[in-house]
């Protein structure tokens, strides 16, 4: 395989990675979670946490019916669907209706929940920062984004990667607002375009992110199964892992400055 072909294939897989977190080991402190996967010392604001998990590829309502749909999910995101279904029932007492297609893609519906979530978007379908009034709401939202689109680089450095998503700007502003002093922003002019935020989490935000880590890793395992099959078919398993390792090392060095 030529170097050009390898780069093109890596670009394709990197784009897919925007929809799901990559590998990250669980450290000892992350094992101290309860049966729901959340730390007992952290209490999410349910609506804000769910809001963080929402997809908004090309805008929130580009592929989601604003009248009754909560969200849409890829086949490998079934662990996310299962977790959210139970979480929404437990925390909001709402039973959602999820439709699984033959392709194993799925769509979640709820008139009540969709109306609540839609209140966070403005006339131009942009996510409104002024709907967030407390740090707890911001922490919960960022934890939701991290759950679906995040990766843990090391014990204090985290990554959120979004594809063609307007809410990368909201995430950046929220991180600054809650006191995350080191934030590196990276834009990849891919198809789809990638918006990447590397950041050193504040001590309080870290509690929220780590509290959902077990569920994030379960979601990651589902994704890894699919991505491994794709990499094997393309014959670039080694090259892809080397790329990921180099990325992690570069980020760690950058945060030392």
């Amino acid at each position: 395989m030529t170097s050009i072909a390898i780069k093109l294939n890596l670009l394709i897989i990197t784009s897919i990675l925007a929809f799901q977190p990559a590998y990250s080991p669980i450290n000892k402190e992350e094992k101290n979670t309860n049966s729901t996967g959340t730390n007992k010392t952290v209490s999410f604001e349910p609506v804000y946490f769910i809001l963080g998990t929402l997809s908004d590829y090309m805008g929130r309502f580009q592929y989601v019916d604003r009248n009754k749909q909560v969200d849409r999910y890829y086949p490998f995101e079934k662990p996310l669907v299962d977790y959210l279904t139970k979480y929404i029932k437990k925390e909001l007492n709402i039973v959602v209706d999820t439709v699984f297609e033959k392709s194993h893609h799925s769509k979640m519906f709820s008139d009540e929940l969709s109306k609540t979530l839609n209140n966070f978007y403005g006339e131009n379908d942009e996510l409104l920062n002024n709907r967030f009034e407390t740090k707890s709401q911001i922490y919960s939202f960022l934890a939701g984004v991290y759950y679906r689109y995040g990766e843990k680089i090391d014990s204090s450095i985290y990554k959120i990667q979004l594809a063609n998503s307007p809410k990368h700007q909201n995430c950046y502003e929220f991180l600054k607002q809650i006191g995350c002093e080191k934030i590196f922003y990276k834009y990849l002019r891919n198809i789809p375009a990638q918006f990447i935020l590397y950041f050193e989490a504040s001590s309080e935000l870290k509690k929220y992110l780590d509290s959902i880590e077990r569920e994030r890793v379960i979601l990651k395992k589902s994704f890894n199964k699919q991505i491994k099959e794709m990499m094997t078919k393309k014959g670039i398993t080694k090259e892809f892992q080397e790329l990921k390792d180099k990325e992690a090392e570069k980020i760690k060095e950058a945060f030392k400055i």
Side-chain angles (χ1 to χ4, degrees), residues 16-252:
I16 294 174
L17 279 171
F19 299 107
Q20 182 63 28
Y23 174 76
S24 178
I26 304 177
N27 61 37
K28 293 182 179 179
E29 67 181 24
E30 290 159 359
K31 293 182 179 179
N32 297 322
T33 54
N34 60 27
S35 60
T36 62
T38 55
N39 190 298
K40 294 179 181 180
T41 62
V42 170
S43 179
F44 288 151
E45 299 274 356
V47 171
Y48 289 84
F49 173 71
I50 296 165
L51 186 68
T53 69
L54 298 182
S55 63
D56 63 342
Y57 186 84
M58 299 294 290
R60 167 62 181 154
F61 302 106
Q62 183 68 27
Y63 297 100
V64 172
D65 182 353
R66 84 172 60 237
N67 294 320
K68 57 183 179 179
Q69 188 173 351
V70 175
D71 209 356
R72 65 191 183 98
Y73 306 91
Y74 289 90
F76 56 80
E77 292 182 308
K78 189 175 185 301
L80 172 65
V81 176
D82 292 341
Y83 180 82
L84 287 177
T85 298
K86 295 176 182 177
Y87 183 83
I88 292 167
K89 177 63 172 67
K90 178 183 178 182
E91 300 296 335
L92 301 177
N93 196 29
I94 295 175
V95 177
V96 297
D97 179 23
T98 302
V99 177
F100 287 91
E101 302 171 345
K102 290 183 179 180
S103 62
H104 300 294
H105 290 73
S106 58
K107 297 177 180 179
M108 183 182 292
F109 297 91
S110 167
D111 290 350
E112 181 181 354
L113 183 55
S114 64
K115 288 178 182 178
T116 298
L117 297 172
N118 289 351
N119 288 332
F120 287 86
Y121 294 87
E123 294 181 359
N124 297 318
D125 296 339
E126 76 279 15
L127 183 62
L128 301 172
N129 284 3
N130 61 14
R131 294 289 193 271
F132 295 75
E133 299 178 350
T134 69
K135 286 187 176 181
S136 177
Q137 292 170 349
I138 293 175
Y139 293 143
S140 299
F141 171 79
L142 290 173
V145 179
Y146 172 72
Y147 176 19
R148 191 173 185 180
Y149 300 108
E151 178 181 353
K152 193 169 186 178
I153 303 298
D154 69 6
S155 61
S156 61
I157 302 172
Y158 298 80
K159 169 186 175 182
I160 288 175
Q161 181 168 348
L162 301 163
N164 275 349
S165 167
K167 72 180 175 186
H168 70 274
Q169 184 63 37
N170 302 90
C171 290
Y172 175 78
E173 292 173 5
F174 285 147
L175 288 171
K176 295 291 289 184
Q177 185 176 333
I178 61 176
C180 294
E181 297 181 355
K182 290 186 177 181
I183 306 172
F184 291 164
Y185 171 84
K186 185 176 183 180
Y187 171 69
L188 299 179
R189 200 180 298 275
N190 296 351
I191 299 177
Q194 307 290 311
F195 302 93
I196 308 174
L197 293 168
Y198 301 94
F199 57 95
E200 192 170 78
S202 63
S203 59
E204 192 63 24
L205 175 60
K206 189 179 189 306
K207 294 178 184 178
Y208 280 77
L209 301 184
D210 288 351
S211 70
I212 197 64
E213 185 67 8
R214 188 180 71 176
E215 296 301 328
R216 188 195 71 80
V217 171
I218 292 173
L219 186 56
K220 171 271 300 180
K221 288 180 180 178
S222 179
F223 173 74
N224 276 358
K225 182 178 180 181
Q226 175 175 315
I227 201 69
K228 183 178 180 180
E229 293 174 355
M230 180 179 295
M231 289 188 295
T232 300
K233 289 180 180 179
K234 294 181 178 293
I236 57 172
T237 305
K238 181 180 179 181
E239 290 86 350
F240 180 74
Q241 188 57 53
E242 289 177 349
L243 180 68
K244 295 294 295 178
D245 291 342
K246 288 180 180 179
E247 176 200 25
E249 289 305 315
K250 287 182 179 179
I251 294 301
K252 290 178 184 178

